[in-house]
Structures are given as structure tokens and as C-alpha cells.
Amino acid sequence: MTLAVNGGDLQRLRRLNALTVVAALRADGPMPLTQLAERTELARATVKQAARDLIEQGWVAEMEPSGGAKGRPARRYRFCAEAGRVLGLDIGAHKILAAVADLDGNVLHLAREPVTPELSRQERLAAVDRVVDACLTGSGTADAEVWAAVAGSTGYIDLDGRIVLSRAIRDWSGTPLADHLSARLPCPVLVENDSRLAALAEHRRGAAQQVRNLVYLHIGRRAGAAVILDGVPLRGSSGAAGEIGVHPLFNLATSSDLLQAGVPAITSGLAPEEVAAAVFDAARRGEPESVTAVLRYVKVLALATAAMTLTVDPELVVLGGGFSRAADVLMGPLRAELETICLRTPVLCGSALGEECVAVGAVCYAVDHLNSMLFNPSH
Amino acid sequence: MTLAVNGGDLQRLRRLNALTVVAALRADGPMPLTQLAERTELARATVKQAARDLIEQGWVAEMEPSGGAKGRPARRYRFCAEAGRVLGLDIGAHKILAAVADLDGNVLHLAREPVTPELSRQERLAAVDRVVDACLTGSGTADAEVWAAVAGSTGYIDLDGRIVLSRAIRDWSGTPLADHLSARLPCPVLVENDSRLAALAEHRRGAAQQVRNLVYLHIGRRAGAAVILDGVPLRGSSGAAGEIGVHPLFNLATSSDLLQAGVPAITSGLAPEEVAAAVFDAARRGEPESVTAVLRYVKVLALATAAMTLTVDPELVVLGGGFSRAADVLMGPLRAELETICLRTPVLCGSALGEECVAVGAVCYAVDHLNSMLFNPSH
């Protein structure tokens, strides 16, 4: 059938159809026209038109039929994940890590450089530049091929990508990180709190897949937290969401000291970074003083986690960060504490990702940002 | 121009256009075809078709041209707010209040009945039925005209509309409130926490309009809280979001007792419900013991508010409930306390709505629910 449609309506309809098609290809992978029409509930002619538009724009490509199949197989359409690249950065106190990935978020190359909390701002930014260069060069990526870059760092980061306050990294508060990276990269640059990106990574690739609402707790010598609601990291009105660690009743910043207190036999002569592991090991062996120290630490974690849980009611709490390696020792007592406080205790689990979780989260966030621009080009 | 479109695409396009038109009429009020075409950026012919569809479905009506205007005024289209009605209920410890409103949420009629916390569940439900009947009868509303009903009540209410736990109302925990109301009303029935609905009312009609993220604090002899993010009340995974009051470090449930402690001269011989007002008055006069008592109370409020603020980073905190009448006494000290704790202190303000805020919020929520069904008929 035919109907009269004006140009504006036609553009609207064609864009709507193109978005439907590209979303289907990204979600379900390459498929032939017929299947794509069924999947999108669009007419064959409509899908063909949409595919033509998308091929023209570089988002979709036709695949040569694979010889293997019986008969003459239909040629399939696929999303062009290689059409562009994204850059994810983890700028921490002890390391700087960069990841280049395709538009599906598959990491193609990693580059890293160890740093110390004592570096000056200029030294740290110079190290960031070196790692970015190494990662782009190492992956054969030209600056213009990077469609979006996301950097995760430690602290309260405002919506302009400025480090407002960072306790863990010296000389870092006030750093206009997004501006610095934008001067180097000719693409949209976003800067996010590292716990928030780690939480996103757990949601997309780790322990929290298929979970809509979760609280992520970074536990280590430094503590942090993040909230994901309906699959989206919660930034809050100014980027300060998840900063429960500064609350005086929890004081997560110094909570790891509780592990040290009262266990001299275990910790004497150890370097600060070795203390926690030693106490967790001793507690694992049932050494009474260490078990008590761990319980003291868990009580503080539980009070902070309960405050966040009672505020947003997540399905899941993910424990990440260095101390999550001791999840076997921490999880039971933490669950018991939460059950005494919460109206509904969320499921607890340990991180499923390694020390690359922030960089992986940054890559996921960059891909999300590109998708949001694709689906709302006005942004 | 014309193009070939299959039936599915045509339906899709027509629905898209109809939704665009009805959204414009709801947002900006009645307007003639030309203005509607400009406003929606649709072709005149397209708008005409969409209006025909909507008139057929009862959502839109044509208005007779008003004689007053010069020349022959164009006839205008308007959204039919009177096409259906919604019912909002506030089921509290001390009162039951029902409101019937049109599809724009304009309240047409109110009915109320005082109750006591001591009523049995059956007595309270019977009172609810009487108030519903009185409100529908009083507004000349037939059951079939009610398109959606929302009830607010006190406590942790699960996603099925069951009262899981209510401390403020005797014999209320475990009440399948949604089921009870559904047996009476042949329309979708939703049950929500009353603080959550009060927060929504403040966002739509009160102190928090044009604010995207807010925390609502119900302060009174009973305390409660709710969070609104991006204009949507946060329920959480099980409906327990905002239940910070049960956290042992804040214990808002008994926080109002702090007002009574140490001010015998002021409160001796007063009925429990008179104590707070007396202490606030004395503090307003600068009476030292009362000022101290108010500060003790404010410190607890601040710790709980800070925990929520540090978790979700709202722009605004609204103080509602009976004690908010003493906002002049509470606001200054509360702001000062929050500034010592929060990374970014939200703006503080008092409720702009009276004791009908929960019923008004219920009406707003019912209208939202209808809109969501209109925009996603699959729901």
C-alpha cells in the first residue's frame, strides 16, 4: 500500500528503522535479510533500505556467504565493530592502564605503566600521555580512529571531568583531567570515578550481568563505592553519588587500619601493603585475634553497605578491590551483619574481574556513550 | 511525495505521530492545527490524521472556536482530561484520605475519615472501603470511569502491593492491600510507600518542581524517607528504597524522642503529640534546654540525610511531615551539620504541600502509570 508522507516523516521513519536494524545486529550478531526482517518485525523492503543507509554510513557491512553451508547461503549483514575504536583509561595511585577496543568493546590492546601515589600532577599527567601514546601506537590506532575516550580515576569527579577531591592521590585534587585528555585526543572525552567504572564492568562483563540494580564496594587499603540502577552508573547531580566513604560514622577511608589494630603478632615487621593479606590468612586459619580484627573491619563495611542498601535497595552487592581476594573470609560475616540491619539483604558476591576492571569499565562506558549519540544524534 | 510502506510500518508511524500529538497537547494545552504542526514538526496532513485517530480513541476533542477572537478563529484540539478518572488514596495511622482526579491529575473531589493507629486490619480496610465509596459517589464517578488507582501507606511495601512491614500501624504488616483494593476496583491498582508518593507530589506540584534528583525526608513522630531520581520515585529491587530509617546508627523511628529528653520544664504534662511543637516553640524563643534538644535531634537527621546524600547526590532535600512546620528552627542547624559531612551539600527546603500531599502524590503516580500505558501499550 502507499500513503502520502512528507519529507520530515520519511526521514523520521527511515532513521527509526535504521536504529531498529543496527540494534538487532549489535544484540544478536550477523544475520541474513529474512531473519533481520523477522527479528525487527519490519518489511523486507524496509530492512533493505535501512541496511543500505547504514552501509553508506559505515555502521553495517555485508558478509560474503560462507562456502560451508548447503545450497546457496544468503548473504548476511553485520555490525561494523571495526568502523571505529574507543579508548579506556585507568589512572590510579599505583598504575596507569590504557585499553583500546572496537565498537563492541572488545579489547584489542593494553598498555600500562607503574606509578606511585607521590608523583606530582605534572609527572602523573605525563605518564598518562606516555601510556595513551603506547596504547594507540601498539594497537596501530590513529588518533582520528578513536571515536570516544573514557578515563577512570580516584576521587570525587565533577560532571566536567575535573578531579574535585582525591584523597588517595597526592596533588590530584583540582586536576582538569578531561581538559588535559581533550587536548591530546580529537574525540569526546569523559572522566568518571574509578569505582563507578569498575561497577559498570562487573555489570557488563563480570559478576553482575543480568542484574539491574547493584552496589559495588571497592575494598582495599583505599575504599570506594558505586551504585548502578537499571544498568546505568549513578553519577548524581554533581558526580558525587557513591561517596559514602566520607561519612563520619563509617569512615571507610581508614577502615583498613582496623585490620592492623590488635594483631601485632601477625603484622609486626610487615610492610603496610602486606598487613591485610597476613591478617586475612591468619583469620582463615582461625587465629582468634585476626578473626576479631576481621570482624571489626566487617562491622564498619556492613554499616556503610547497609546505609547504601537501605537507600537504593539493590539486588546485589559486589565486593571488588584488593581485599576481595579474601571474599571467602569476609563474605559470611558481612552477610550476617547485613541481615541484622537490612529489611531485605541483597545477594553478596566477589568481583569476577581482575585489576583491569576499571579500564574495561571505561571501554564499556565509551561504547555506551557512542550508542547514546547514535540513538540521539542531537547529543 | 509518496513511498511504499507496509502495514506494520504504517501503524508504527501513525502511532508515533499520535503519541507526539497527544504529548504536545498535554504539555502545552489546546492549540489549533497549524500551531500543533509547528510544535510537533509534523506535516499538517499527518497531524490531522493523528488527531482523527486520537478523537476516535477518546483522548482528544475538537473545541468550538471561541467567539471573542477577531476574524474566524481556527478550531483547536485539546487533550480530553475528562475522558477518564484516577483515584488516589492515603491510608495512614490517623486518617484515610481519597482523591478523585481527572487524567491531568486535577483533583475533583476529596473524602476523608479519621482513624487511629489501634484499629484492626479489618477495621482499617473497612474504613478504606467507606472512604473510596464516599469519594466515588461524591464525585459522581462510576467504578468503570476509574482508569487507575494508587494507594499510599506507611511501611515497606513490596512490588505486589503487600505491606511487608509497618511499624507505625498496628496489625498492618502482611496486609495484601493491592489485592483488597483490586477486589473493589476494576482498574489497575498500585500501592506505594507514602513518603515516596509525598516526594512525587513535591516534585510535580510542590517544592521540588524542575528538580531532577531529590531526597524527601518525612519528619514527625514517625520518620520516613524517599528518593526521586530523574523525576522518578526510586522503589528499588523490592520496594525497600528509602528505608534508611531502620539503620541502627540513625534510628529515625525513635529520633523524635530526642526532642523530649532533657526538657521537663517545657514538656511536663503535655500529651505526646504536643511535645514536639512545644519544644520547637521554646527553641524558637531561644530557651537553652530546648535549643540543645533540637540540636540533638538535628544531628541524627543530618547523619541519616548525609548517608542518603552521599549515596545518590541529590540537588535538593525536602523536609516534609508534621515537624516541617518548624523548618525555621530546623533548617539552619541541619544545613550546618550537612556541610560538615557532605562533599556537596544539597539545597534544603520545607514541604510546599499540606496534609494532602500523599493523596496528591498518589494521583500523580496514577496519571504517570496511565501515560506509561499509553506510550507503551504492551505494559
Side-chain angles (χ1 to χ4, degrees), chain A residues 229-320:
Chain A
L229 298 177
D230 286 330
V232 179
L234 181 66
R235 309 182 82 191
S237 303
S238 70
E243 293 293 344
I244 192 79
V246 307
H247 196 293
L249 293 181
F250 314 128
N251 207 348
L252 291 180
T254 60
S255 55
S256 62
D257 302 350
L258 295 170
L259 289 169
Q260 196 146 12
V263 286
I266 305 294
T267 59
S268 59
L270 290 180
E273 63 272 21
E274 302 169 329
V275 169
V279 175
F280 289 135
D281 288 341
R284 201 174 277 117
R285 291 192 308 269
E287 190 281 310
E289 286 181 330
S290 297
V291 170
T292 311
V294 167
L295 289 182
R296 264 199 314 269
Y297 173 66
V298 163
K299 275 189 191 300
V300 173
L301 277 193
L303 289 168
T305 307
M308 291 188 283
T309 295
L310 289 166
T311 303
V312 300
D313 185 22
E315 303 146 66
L316 180 72
V317 172
V318 180
L319 290 186

Side-chain angles (χ1 to χ4, degrees), chain B residues 8-178:
Chain B
D9 285 349
L10 175 61
Q11 288 314 315
R12 225 154 145 238
L13 178 61
R14 279 173 72 157
R15 227 190 102 243
L16 189 71
N17 292 334
L19 296 180
T20 309
V21 166
V22 82
L25 291 176
R26 294 196 79 159
D28 301 350
M31 58 183 101
L33 182 61
T34 314
Q35 191 185 337
L36 196 49
E38 286 164 8
R39 168 72 170 69
T40 57
E41 297 174 347
L42 292 173
R44 275 183 75 90
T46 309
V47 173
K48 221 173 189 141
Q49 174 61 60
R52 261 199 301 275
D53 294 349
L54 288 162
I55 289 168
E56 210 177 280
Q57 296 156 31
W59 288 100
V60 165
E62 281 184 305
M63 295 168 74
E64 286 314 312
S66 50
K70 282 218 156 49
R72 183 190 282 109
R75 82 180 15 194
R76 296 179 304 158
Y77 295 103
R78 66 176 183 83
F79 174 70
C80 289
E82 74 280 17
R85 291 180 173 184
V86 297
L87 176 68
L89 284 166
D90 175 3
I91 304 172
H94 299 280
K95 74 167 187 294
I96 292 162
L97 178 61
V100 161
D102 65 22
L103 297 181
D104 281 337
N106 302 309
V107 174
L108 306 170
H109 191 77
L110 288 167
R112 83 183 65 211
E113 184 173 315
V115 289
T116 67
E118 292 69 34
L119 287 186
S120 74
R121 176 188 302 186
Q122 290 317 318
E123 292 169 316
R124 193 172 306 276
L125 289 175
V128 167
D129 294 341
R130 285 194 299 275
V131 174
V132 168
D133 291 339
C135 198
L136 293 180
T137 312
S139 58
T141 306
D143 289 5
E145 290 177 274
V146 181
W147 289 11
V150 172
S153 194
T154 299
Y156 164 27
I157 298 167
D158 69 19
L159 303 180
D160 301 326
R162 200 176 121 272
I163 313 288
V164 179
L165 177 71
S166 176
R167 290 189 173 79
I169 306 181
R170 184 187 148 263
D171 192 22
W172 200 231
S173 300
T175 306
L177 185 53

